[in-house]
Amino acid sequence: MTVKNLEEFRKAKGWSQKKLADQSGVSQTYISELEAAKKQPTVLIAQKLATAFGISLADLLHDEFRAPKCKEVKEIDSGSERSV
């Protein structure tokens, strides 16, 4: 589980990492590591962050679960791959 858009949500609120830490109960150091993709959050941590932003967990993780675009989908046809 990743939160690739964590920094985006934080900046949209006009919050510093410290402010997000205060609002979520997640340490500023951990938030920094999440934003730098050095760590991956547990479900509990991700939920705390989503709650602090006032959004759902699904919204926070949206990029991770977005369906691929048609051109990115590969189809196996007689042993060969082609874009659909």
Side-chain angles (χ1 to χ4, degrees):
M1 173 184 325
T2 60
V3 283
K4 293 178 185 175
N5 49 0
L6 178 62
E7 184 175 9
E8 208 173 292
F9 277 110
R10 180 178 60 76
K11 287 183 176 182
K13 284 276 197 183
W15 290 355
S16 64
Q17 289 180 347
K18 170 97 172 79
K19 173 76 172 181
L20 178 55
D22 292 344
Q23 294 294 316
S24 65
V26 176
S27 78
Q28 182 179 352
T29 301
Y30 196 75
I31 289 168
S32 175
E33 290 172 331
L34 291 171
E35 288 185 0
K38 293 180 181 178
K39 299 246 182 188
Q40 293 185 3
T42 63
V43 173
L44 178 62
I45 295 294
Q47 183 61 61
K48 285 181 176 187
L49 295 168
T51 299
F53 288 130
I55 60 175
S56 71
L57 182 58
D59 287 340
L60 183 64
L61 302 175
H62 178 73
D63 281 348
E64 183 173 350
F65 298 111
R66 184 182 305 155
K69 297 177 184 173
C70 288
K71 67 181 182 178
E72 296 169 342
V73 176
K74 300 283 185 174
E75 176 181 277
I76 298 176
D77 182 29
S78 301
S80 63
E81 292 185 352
R82 68 174 191 219
S83 294
V84 290

